[in-house]
Amino acid sequence: MKRFTSFFMGKGPIGQSQILIILIFIIVIVATLVNRRFVHPQNIINIFQQIAILGIVASGVGMLLVSGHIDISVGSQVSLMGAAFAMMIQRMLALPGGEVESWRQFMTYPVAIGLTFGFGFCLGLANGITVVKSRASSFIITLGFMSAYHGLALLVTGGASYMLFGRFELLGRGRVFFYIPVSILFFFGIVIVAHIILKYFRYGRFLYAIGSNRKAAYVSGINTDRVIIKSYIMVGLLNALAAIILISRVGTALATTGDAYALDALAAVIVGGVALTGGKGGALNVFLGVVLIGLIGNALIIMNVNPYVRDLVIGLIIIIAVTLSQLSERQS
Amino acid sequence: MGRYENILTTTKLCKNYPGVRALDSVDFDLRYGEVHALVGQNGAGKSTLIEIIAGSIHPDSGSISFDKDSYVSFDPWQSIALGIQTVHQENQLVEELTVAENMYLYDLPTRKGGIVHYGDCIQRASQLMKDLGMDIKPEKRVANLSFVKKKLISIAKAFTRPLKLLILDEPTASLDGHGKDILFRVIKEHKVRGLSVIYISHNLYEIFEICDRVTVLKDGKKVATHKVKDVSMRDVVRNMIGSSQSTLYRRDKGVSPPPGTEVLEVEKYSRKDVVHNVSFQVRKGEIFGLAGLVGSGRTELARLIFGLDPKDSGRLLYNGQEITPKNSYDAIRKGIGYLTEDRKGDGLLLSRPVVENASLVALAKDKNVFLPLPRERRDVNTISKQLNIKTPTIEQLVINLSGGNQQKVVIAKWLLAASEILIIDEPTVGVDVGAKVEIYRMIDELARQRKSIIMISSDNPELEAVCDRVGVMRNGELVTVLEGDEVTEENILHHTIGVFDEMEVK
C-alpha cells in the first residue's frame, strides 16, 4: 500500500491521503459487518457509477485547485450545459414523437455533443479571463458566475424540464462487456489523464508552480495568466462531459440538475488532500476524496441509516480530515 | 535627576540569529534631554538595538536600565508604559480610519456604554496637532493624505501618551523640507523639557544638525560614541567602515579575462518618482555593481529592466540590438535572468522540491509539452553538486533547506536557464559566511563564462570585493560609476549617503 501511494503522491510526511485510505477501510469494514451485500461486486459497481460524474467534475476542480484557484460555479455550469444539451436534442429530434429525416437523426448527437463542449469551453474561458484580469479572488468571481449561470439556466429552460424519452442512454446507463458501466470508464480515464497531466506535462508542473508561489512562477518566466485561463477552460470542458453523461443517465434536464456537484466536488477535492492554498495534491487525492464521498452515501443506505444523515456525515468528515492533516503538518 | 544622568543604559546586550551575531555586547547610554544618533551600514545592528528597547525583541543576554530600574528585557506593552515610543520607517497607520482615530486607536475615548466619543477624540487630536505645530485636520481619512502628512501623524501619535523616550527610525526618508523643519522644531522644543530621542538616519548632515551625540555600530558591535561637536563627518564615516572584513573573499579581478567591449546598454530608464533617467553599460564578462540605500531605486530599476513593472522610458540593447523585454517571459527568452532580492516572496516555490525549483526557468523557456524527466534529474543533480547544495536528495522540499542553500537553489534555477545577462539582487542576504564565499565564487565563474552581470547589494565590502565597476544610486538617480581603484568601500559609502562633496570642502 505504501509503495502504491508513494508511487502516486511522492514521498513526504503522512498526509491527508493516508488518513483517507484508513477512513475508507474503516467504512468498508463497518458497512460490511452490518450488511454483507456492501462488498458484493454489483454494489461496488453501483458505488462507482454513482460517483463517476462527481469524479469527472472533481478532477477538473482538483487540477485547478493545484494552481491555487477555485471554481464554485461548476455545479451551475453542469446544470446549464445539461439543460442546453437536452434542449438541443429535443429540438433536433423533434421530440416527443416527431418524424425527422435519417441524416438528421444521424447528425443530432455529434452536433449536440460538439456544441456542448464548445459551450463548456466558452464558460471556462469567461471564468478564467475574468479571474485573471480582475485580479480578484477566484472564489468571489466564481461565486458571481455560479449565480449568473444558475439564472441563465432558469431563463432558457423557463423552469420547465426537458425529457429525452429514452434516447441517448448509452453514456449514462450503458455497459460494456455486459457488466462495466460506460460512465465508470470515463471516470477512470479522466483520473488517469489528470494524473498524467499533473506529473508528466510541462503544463501540470506549471500548475504546481503557480499554486505554490504565483509571483515566483511569473518571475521565472511562466505566463501565469495563460496557464490559469487554460485551467478554467479545462474545468469547463470536463463539466460539459459531466453534463452530457448526467443527462444521458437521468434522461431529463432541469435548471438545477447538476447544482449539487459544486459542493460535493469541492468537498471531495479538499478531503482528498489537495491544499486549498494550492501547490499540493494530485489526481489520486481527488480519486480518494471522490470514493470516500461515494462510500459514505452508499454505506449509509446499505446500513439502513436515514439517507438524510449523509450531508451531516460528509460535513463532519471534511472537518475531521482537514483538522487532522493540519495538526500533523504543524508537528512536522 | 540632573541634566547628565542617563534615562537609558544598556549593558552587554547580545542577540544571535542563526549564523549571524546581530548584537555583540553593546553598551549604549542615553541622557535625559539628549538627541542621540545611531548610525551604521546595513546589518550593523541598529534595528535590533531599537527593537530590543521597544520590546519587540528579547535579547539573549545583557541588561537594560531605564529611569533607574533594571530590566532583563521589555515586552512591548511594558516599554510603552515606561514612556518609550517608536516611529517606524514604515507607517503603521490604518488607512481607512481618520487621523484622530489613528492617533488614539489604542484607547479611543468613549461615552458611557462603550460607544466611541468622536467629538472628544477629534478635539484632543486637534489640540495636540496645534501644540506640535502641524497643520493636519484630524477628521480627514488617512488614505487621502500625502506621505509627508502620514509621517507627521505617526510622529504626533507618539505624543498622545506620556513620552520620555522617542525612537525615530529614518524619519526624514519620507519628509520634505517643510516636514523636516516641523520635526526638528518639535524635537528641539521637547528636548528642553527632558525628552530623550534616539535618532536613526543615513543622512549625516541631519545628524550633525540636530543630534548631541552619535553612536556608530558595525557588524553588531559598538565602534564608538562621539559628541557631535567634537567629531567630523569623515571620522564618523571611517568608524562606519572600520577595519574591513572583506578579506574573507576577494575576487582576483586581474586573472579573469579582461572584460570585452560594452555589450549590454541600459539606456535612459525612468519611472516616475522611482527611477530617473538611468543609463550605463555592462561589458561581457563584467560584474557591474549597483550600490545605494534601500529605497534608492536599485531594485526598482532591476524590475524595470526585466520588464516586471511598467516604465516611462528606457531601452535595453545587447550587441547593438534592441532587446527591451515586454514582460518576464519575454525577458527570459531574450536571455535575461533576474535573481530577486526576496527569495521567499518571488524567488522560490517553498512547498515544492529542489528539482522542480531548479528546473523551472529552463522549463518555462522551452516549448515541449512533456517534461524531460530523466534529463531534468540529471541536470539538477549535476548543478546541485557543482553549487554544493546541501540537501539529502533533490526531492527535498525547499522549505526545509537553510537560507544559504535556498539561495543556491535560486542560483541553480538561473544557471540551468543559461541566461547571458544576469541581474542578481542581494545574493547574500541571510546567508551564512561559508555559503557567501561559495556564492561569490559562483558569480565569478559566471563572469569567466563571459556573461554580463549586474549585481545589486547593500553590502559595500561585498561590492568592493566582487565587482569590476560599481554604479551608485541615490534618490532614483545613478550619481556615479566607480572604476578600477575607485571601487572601495569608503568611496561607495560616500556616494551612497552623499557626503562626498562636503568632505572635500573640509
Side-chain angles (χ1 to χ4, degrees):
Chain A
M1 198 68 210
K2 189 79 194 282
R3 189 185 279 173
F4 172 74
T5 56
S6 68
F7 169 72
F8 278 100
M9 293 172 294
K11 292 157 201 106
I14 291 179
Q16 228 153 303
S17 326
Q18 278 83 348
I19 296 171
L20 221 64
I21 291 170
I22 295 166
L23 258 177
I24 288 173
F25 268 110
I26 294 173
I27 292 173
V28 170
I29 290 165
V30 171
T32 312
L33 289 178
V34 175
N35 189 338
R36 275 283 168 73
R37 267 193 306 140
F38 185 76
V39 283
H40 191 277
Q42 186 54 52
N43 189 47
I44 303 287
I45 284 180
N46 280 347
I47 292 173
F48 278 104
Q49 192 169 13
Q50 279 159 10
I51 59 175
I53 295 166
L54 174 64
I56 292 167
V57 176
S59 295
V61 174
M63 282 203 274
L64 181 65
L65 194 59
V66 164
S67 81
H69 290 75
I70 219 168
D71 189 344
I72 58 167
S73 74
V74 288
S76 43
Q77 280 189 35
V78 172
S79 298
L80 177 59
M81 288 190 279
F85 180 69
M87 286 169 79
M88 281 189 277
I89 288 181
Q90 253 200 16
R91 190 69 50 85
M92 285 193 262
L93 293 180
L95 295 175
E99 290 288 323
V100 291
E101 302 90 326
S102 59
W103 66 265
R104 208 164 144 183
Q105 290 231 14
F106 184 72
M107 288 303 293
T108 294
Y109 298 129
V111 168
I113 289 172
L115 286 175
T116 306
F117 276 111
F119 197 15
F121 183 93
C122 294
L123 296 182
L125 187 69
N127 283 14
I129 287 183
T130 318
V131 165
V132 160
K133 295 299 170 198
S134 69
R135 307 248 151 229
S137 130
S138 57
F139 179 84
I140 305 293
I141 294 292
T142 55
L143 180 71
F145 274 113
M146 178 175 90
S147 180
Y149 296 151
H150 178 65
L152 196 59
L154 284 172
L155 262 180
V156 292
T157 59
S161 65
Y162 291 82
M163 293 190 33
L164 296 190
F165 302 98
R167 309 289 184 101
F168 193 65
E169 286 190 326
L170 176 72
L171 283 184
R173 293 167 166 258
R175 285 168 185 250
V176 283
F177 312 124
F178 310 102
Y179 205 64
I180 301 162
V182 177
S183 53
I184 293 184
L185 293 183
F186 272 99
F187 170 36
F188 285 7
I190 294 293
V191 169
I192 290 167
V193 169
H195 176 71
I196 290 171
I197 288 180
L198 287 175
K199 293 290 168 216
Y200 301 105
F201 274 53
R202 213 167 68 107
Y203 167 75
R205 180 67 66 78
F206 288 174
L207 290 178
Y208 285 105
I210 293 170
S212 179
N213 186 341
R214 184 171 169 179
K215 269 197 210 160
Y218 181 78
V219 173
S220 300
I222 296 171
N223 190 338
T224 49
D225 285 359
R226 194 188 295 170
V227 172
I228 294 164
I229 291 172
K230 275 188 196 166
S231 316
Y232 275 98
I233 291 173
M234 187 183 61
V235 170
L237 291 174
L238 287 174
N239 289 339
L241 177 64
I244 292 165
I245 297 175
L246 175 67
I247 296 308
S248 167
R249 196 173 105 197
V250 298
T252 179
L254 282 165
T256 55
T257 317
D259 283 8
Y261 288 121
L263 280 183
D264 278 358
L266 263 184
V269 168
I270 294 165
V271 170
V274 180
L276 257 180
T277 45
K280 273 182 207 161
L284 185 75
N285 296 81
V286 177
F287 181 78
L288 289 177
V290 171
V291 168
L292 181 74
I293 296 227
L295 279 182
I296 294 168
N298 185 279
L300 291 176
I301 291 167
I302 273 215
M303 294 190 295
N304 257 329
V305 181
N306 183 342
Y308 294 133
V309 175
R310 174 185 173 270
D311 286 357
L312 178 68
V313 173
I314 289 176
L316 292 177
I317 283 182
I318 292 178
I319 294 165
I320 293 166
V322 174
T323 309
L324 281 179
S325 84
Q326 282 292 325
L327 289 178
S328 82
E329 199 162 290
R330 208 168 302 163
Q331 269 176 355
S332 71
Chain B
M1 285 174 217
R3 168 82 170 79
Y4 289 109
E5 278 190 76
N6 292 342
I7 179 166
L8 175 88
T9 313
T10 74
T11 316
K12 297 205 177 334
L13 276 189
C14 291
K15 179 73 194 176
N16 292 303
Y17 290 109
V20 195
R21 173 152 274 208
L23 272 193
D24 191 353
S25 205
V26 170
D27 296 330
F28 174 79
D29 63 277
L30 178 69
R31 294 168 187 160
Y32 286 98
E34 180 189 34
V35 182
H36 195 140
L38 212 50
V39 299
Q41 303 201 56
N42 293 304
K46 295 168 294 181
S47 308
T48 312
L49 179 57
I50 62 164
E51 285 187 67
I52 286 174
I53 296 168
S56 45
I57 292 180
H58 288 186
D60 296 338
S61 62
S63 68
I64 311 167
S65 76
F66 189 85
D67 248 0
K68 298 269 176 261
D69 292 316
S70 242
Y71 305 87
V72 173
S73 66
F74 288 150
D75 283 321
W77 56 267
Q78 197 180 5
S79 141
I80 289 168
L82 287 170
I84 302 172
Q85 285 283 325
T86 310
V87 178
H88 295 275
Q89 193 172 357
E90 305 288 329
N91 283 325
Q92 306 196 319
L93 301 171
V94 184
E95 295 268 316
E96 294 306 314
L97 295 181
T98 64
V99 174
E101 284 170 307
N102 264 289
M103 289 171 66
Y104 293 97
L105 199 55
Y106 57 93
D107 185 20
L108 284 168
T110 51
R111 298 169 200 272
K112 265 183 228 155
I115 297 163
V116 175
H117 195 314
Y118 284 108
D120 191 16
C121 183
I122 284 173
Q123 203 197 336
R124 276 159 65 177
S126 143
Q127 184 60 44
L128 181 59
M129 286 294 186
K130 217 168 93 190
D131 291 348
L132 295 174
M134 295 178 185
D135 180 27
I136 299 169
K137 296 220 160 50
E139 56 277 359
K140 281 252 165 85
R141 218 162 57 100
V142 167
N144 300 334
L145 298 175
S146 68
F147 278 110
V148 175
K149 293 209 163 148
K150 284 178 193 170
K151 179 55 78 182
L152 290 176
I153 294 164
S154 305
I155 294 165
K157 188 177 175 180
F159 285 86
T160 58
R161 280 185 264 201
L163 182 62
K164 289 182 182 167
L165 166 54
L166 177 63
I167 301 170
L168 297 168
D169 189 358
E170 293 282 353
T172 50
S174 52
L175 285 180
D176 56 4
H178 180 61
K180 193 186 114 183
D181 291 344
I182 294 175
L183 172 65
F184 280 18
R185 204 192 55 241
V186 168
I187 292 175
K188 280 175 192 154
E189 278 173 18
H190 283 80
K191 90 181 242 189
V192 184
R193 299 180 210 160
L195 176 70
S196 309
V197 179
I198 296 176
Y199 191 96
I200 294 185
S201 178
H202 277 104
N203 188 327
L204 294 184
Y205 293 109
E206 283 173 19
I207 286 169
F208 277 69
E209 184 184 342
I210 192 78
C211 298
D212 302 307
R213 286 193 298 166
V214 50
T215 288
V216 185
L217 294 176
K218 176 171 170 55
D219 300 329
K221 292 197 185 78
K222 184 170 103 170
V223 180
T225 298
H226 304 285
K227 283 187 182 155
V228 164
K229 62 179 198 306
D230 298 340
V231 74
S232 70
M233 279 193 203
R234 185 185 284 267
D235 290 337
V236 173
V237 170
R238 264 197 204 123
N239 283 158
M240 287 164 76
I241 296 166
S243 56
S244 188
Q245 289 194 333
S246 60
T247 42
L248 243 171
Y249 174 84
R250 182 155 285 271
R251 179 170 157 244
D252 201 340
K253 296 173 194 172
V255 166
S256 54
T261 46
E262 290 166 342
V263 283
L264 180 71
E265 297 173 60
V266 175
E267 210 180 88
K268 293 184 176 152
Y269 270 81
S270 288
R271 184 179 189 195
K272 199 172 173 289
D273 297 335
V274 191
V275 173
H276 308 294
N277 206 22
V278 173
S279 302
F280 59 90
Q281 289 88 34
V282 185
R283 305 186 191 107
K284 231 180 188 158
E286 182 182 40
I287 304 175
F288 183 92
L290 266 184
L293 298 173
V294 172
S296 60
R298 298 167 306 170
T299 297
E300 292 77 2
L301 174 66
R303 291 179 61 91
L304 293 185
I305 294 175
F306 196 65
L308 283 175
D309 292 331
K311 57 183 182 297
D312 298 332
S313 71
R315 290 202 310 160
L316 195 65
L317 300 162
Y318 190 64
N319 288 329
Q321 284 192 320
E322 175 157 3
I323 56 159
T324 320
K326 290 190 280 287
N327 47 45
S328 59
Y329 19 101
D330 193 29
I332 284 160
R333 302 241 154 74
K334 286 171 173 164
I336 310 171
Y338 178 32
L339 282 81
T340 53
E341 176 185 11
D342 183 3
R343 282 197 297 273
K344 293 191 169 123
D346 51 21
L348 291 166
L349 316 172
L350 287 173
S351 60
R352 305 302 304 170
V354 170
V355 54
E356 290 187 18
N357 274 275
S359 65
L360 193 60
V361 183
L363 280 179
K365 220 172 167 179
D366 84 351
K367 292 267 178 205
N368 294 335
V369 171
F370 287 96
L371 294 170
L373 288 175
R375 197 182 76 213
E376 180 185 39
R377 292 191 60 85
R378 205 171 53 233
D379 289 353
V380 174
N381 269 320
T382 308
I383 198 104
S384 161
K385 276 202 200 80
Q386 202 181 328
L387 291 179
N388 194 18
I389 299 176
K390 290 186 188 72
T391 173
T393 67
I394 56 171
E395 303 296 338
Q396 179 70 252
L397 302 186
V398 169
I399 199 167
N400 297 328
L401 301 187
S402 72
N405 285 304
Q406 288 185 349
Q407 185 67 15
K408 287 181 188 172
V409 172
V410 179
I411 294 174
K413 173 166 103 162
W414 292 100
L415 288 187
L416 284 178
S419 315
E420 280 307 301
I421 304 160
L422 274 171
I423 308 169
I424 307 178
D425 199 348
E426 299 284 9
T428 59
V429 166
V431 167
D432 63 274
V433 181
K436 258 187 192 177
V437 174
E438 286 178 302
I439 289 170
Y440 297 146
R441 293 227 169 88
M442 198 61 237
I443 296 172
D444 177 50
E445 175 58 31
L446 290 169
R448 284 163 199 265
Q449 292 169 13
R450 314 300 287 161
K451 297 182 191 298
S452 304
I453 300 165
I454 299 172
M455 176 167 141
I456 299 174
S457 175
S458 298
D459 185 339
N460 294 336
E462 165 176 306
L463 288 171
E464 180 188 334
V466 174
C467 299
D468 295 298
R469 291 187 296 154
V470 172
V472 182
M473 289 192 72
R474 198 164 67 223
N475 300 326
E477 284 175 57
L478 186 69
V479 288
T480 187
V481 176
L482 303 167
E483 286 186 57
D485 294 342
E486 296 167 8
V487 181
T488 63
E489 188 191 347
E490 191 172 350
N491 272 334
I492 296 170
L493 185 64
H494 288 159
H495 287 285
T496 304
I497 60 184
V499 296
F500 199 78
D501 311 332
E502 191 265 353
M503 288 184 40
E504 294 294 286
V505 176
K506 262 192 178 172

